Amino acid sequence: MAMRQTPLTCSGHTRPVVDLAFSGITPYGYFLISACKDGKPMLRQGDTGDWIGTFLGHKGAVWGATLNKDATKAATAAADFTAKVWDAVSGDELMSLAHKHIVKTVDFTQDSNYLLTGGQDKLLRIYDLNKPEAEPEEVSGHTSGIKKALWCGGDRHILSADEKTVRLWDHATMTEVKSLNFSMSVSSVEYVPEGEILVITYGRSIAFHSAASLDPIKSFEAPATINSASLHREKEFLVAGGEDFKLYKYDYSSGEELESYKGHFGPIHCVRFSPDGELYASGSEDGTLRLWQTVVGKTYGLWKCVLPEEDSGELTKPKMSFPETAEEELEEIASENSDSIYSSTPEVKA
């Protein structure tokens, strides 16, 4: 029975959404933070996209955002030369960490005691959040602005990427262990703890490497320039998005394209799977986030399967129920009728 992917659209941002991050699963569900060039990072309920709050305080575009594992703290990286740490429950700013240039990336250790930052000044910095007055540890070695910096290997190592290089660092000795060089600009890096896998995108390529050694595992070629990719935690499939406005889903084992969807009205800048793997989120140049079902046809969150009913031997016409603000957009997204259809009633908040 044919199924149609119907994404939930999360509006509210006024400029391109450039980074996304999910929390771990907490007693209250899981959460999603978005970084945007409007300078106003937003927190949402992860499985529905419902807006919870906006972190106010940055005076420039926000390039990176993350949540700690239990979603009690948030961190953001911005063009105002600061990284900020927030109370994710109250929304209060806890500290503002001054840098010498634009900050692009932030990441908490698993215990939330340390924050890793990177940016245009080519330095990695490690802040002890229990000693905010102390100077951060600094790691040099990059030759261009740092796009992404992540803890890995139980926080014993650091992965970082600049324009065309990905580097692996030993945290204890603060020295470089190994590096990878690419012929074109690295557009994104994702660390998957399950299996210690590194997902790197550059040009039309999606490459997988060991996070422990940087040794290559496999790579796929997409039909368009890819800006971001995310691997499902069970390593069955991956999703990717880029310059052609489409989301692609691939079989991880074979590299076969399983599905592709067009929903955004601009290039896709970031894609991430939720911690339970039931959905993935995308952020775009069009200023929206969209939530997509990993398995189309499953009742989950705000998605509900509505099957045609049998009446006098004939199938009744399937019906959809959506908020008025989404009807016109969904009509543009839907390109054909399906035998089974999904209705959802997301509350889209600005």
Side-chain angles (χ1 to χ4, degrees):
M1 187 177 290
M3 300 286 183
R4 188 177 73 212
Q5 175 76 268
T6 303
L8 305 180
T9 302
C10 307
S11 58
H13 284 299
T14 57
R15 294 201 63 203
V17 178
V18 292
D19 194 25
L20 298 171
F22 283 99
S23 71
I25 298 174
T26 77
Y28 307 99
Y30 60 88
F31 301 87
L32 172 64
I33 191 171
S34 55
C36 180
K37 290 184 181 181
D38 64 10
K40 298 176 181 179
M42 291 186 178
L43 183 68
R44 299 177 184 272
Q45 192 71 37
D47 60 341
T48 64
D50 286 339
W51 177 84
I52 295 172
T54 300
F55 299 102
L56 300 175
H58 279 296
K59 294 180 174 62
V62 175
W63 288 101
T66 192
L67 294 165
N68 66 347
K69 189 175 181 181
D70 59 7
T72 56
K73 291 181 181 178
T76 50
D80 60 7
F81 292 19
T82 69
K84 292 182 184 291
V85 179
W86 312 81
D87 183 318
V89 179
S90 68
D92 295 334
E93 181 181 315
L94 299 178
M95 61 185 73
S96 183
L97 307 171
H99 289 62
K100 297 177 181 179
H101 214 309
I102 295 170
V103 190
K104 285 292 190 75
T105 178
V106 282
D107 195 34
F108 288 107
T109 50
Q110 293 182 34
D111 60 12
S112 306
N113 288 329
Y114 295 88
L115 184 73
L116 173 66
T117 72
Q120 290 298 96
D121 63 2
K122 310 173 189 177
L123 292 175
L124 294 169
R125 290 182 174 86
I126 302 170
Y127 291 87
D128 185 339
L129 300 182
N130 296 315
K131 300 176 182 177
E133 72 287 346
E135 289 296 314
E137 294 181 274
E138 294 185 352
V139 185
S140 61
H142 279 283
T143 57
S144 60
I146 296 169
K147 295 182 174 182
K148 198 72 174 178
L150 301 166
W151 295 101
C152 67
D155 301 334
R156 295 185 303 274
H157 294 92
I158 294 169
L159 288 161
S160 58
D162 60 22
E163 185 66 20
K164 294 183 179 180
T165 307
V166 173
R167 301 174 192 269
L168 177 66
W169 307 84
D170 182 88
H171 181 206
T173 62
M174 307 293 276
T175 56
E176 182 180 315
V177 177
K178 193 175 180 180
S179 65
L180 294 172
N181 295 307
F182 296 88
S183 59
M184 56 187 71
S185 179
V186 174
S187 52
S188 75
V189 177
E190 180 189 51
Y191 167 61
V192 184
E194 296 83 6
E196 291 288 314
I197 296 174
L198 189 61
V199 186
I200 304 169
T201 61
Y202 57 97
R204 296 194 306 162
S205 298
I206 307 166
F208 301 87
H209 291 256
S210 164
S213 64
L214 297 189
D215 291 339
I217 298 172
K218 63 175 70 179
S219 64
F220 305 143
E221 288 291 316
T225 299
I226 296 298
N227 293 329
S228 182
S230 186
L231 178 64
H232 192 272
R233 58 183 300 173
E234 295 178 2
K235 297 180 284 297
E236 294 178 0
F237 29 72
L238 63 132
V239 291
E243 293 298 310
D244 64 351
F245 306 7
K246 286 186 177 181
L247 267 296
Y248 294 92
K249 184 178 178 182
Y250 294 95
D251 181 279
Y252 177 66
S253 297
S254 66
E256 176 188 359
E257 181 183 318
L258 303 175
E259 302 161 348
S260 66
Y261 306 109
K262 189 172 182 180
H264 282 290
F265 299 97
I268 295 166
H269 294 307
C270 45
V271 183
R272 286 293 177 265
F273 271 109
S274 62
D276 63 0
E278 294 288 350
L279 61 80
Y280 50 96
S282 57
S284 168
E285 183 76 16
D286 65 15
T288 67
L289 289 75
R290 292 172 199 257
L291 305 183
W292 310 75
Q293 282 191 288
T294 301
V295 178
V296 180
K298 189 172 184 179
T299 295
Y300 178 83
L302 295 178
W303 288 284
K304 184 179 180 181
C305 184
V306 181
L307 295 173
E309 296 177 359
E310 190 171 337
D311 184 15
S312 302
E314 295 183 0
L315 292 178
T316 59
K317 184 179 180 180
K319 295 181 180 180
M320 291 186 74
S321 174
F322 285 96
E324 293 180 3
T325 55
E327 287 179 356
E328 182 179 350
E329 183 177 26
L330 286 166
E331 287 175 2
E332 293 184 37
I333 295 172
S335 59
E336 60 182 10
N337 293 329
S338 55
D339 298 319
S340 177
I341 209 156
Y342 281 87
S343 80
S344 60
T345 53
E347 183 178 2
V348 182
K349 300 182 180 179

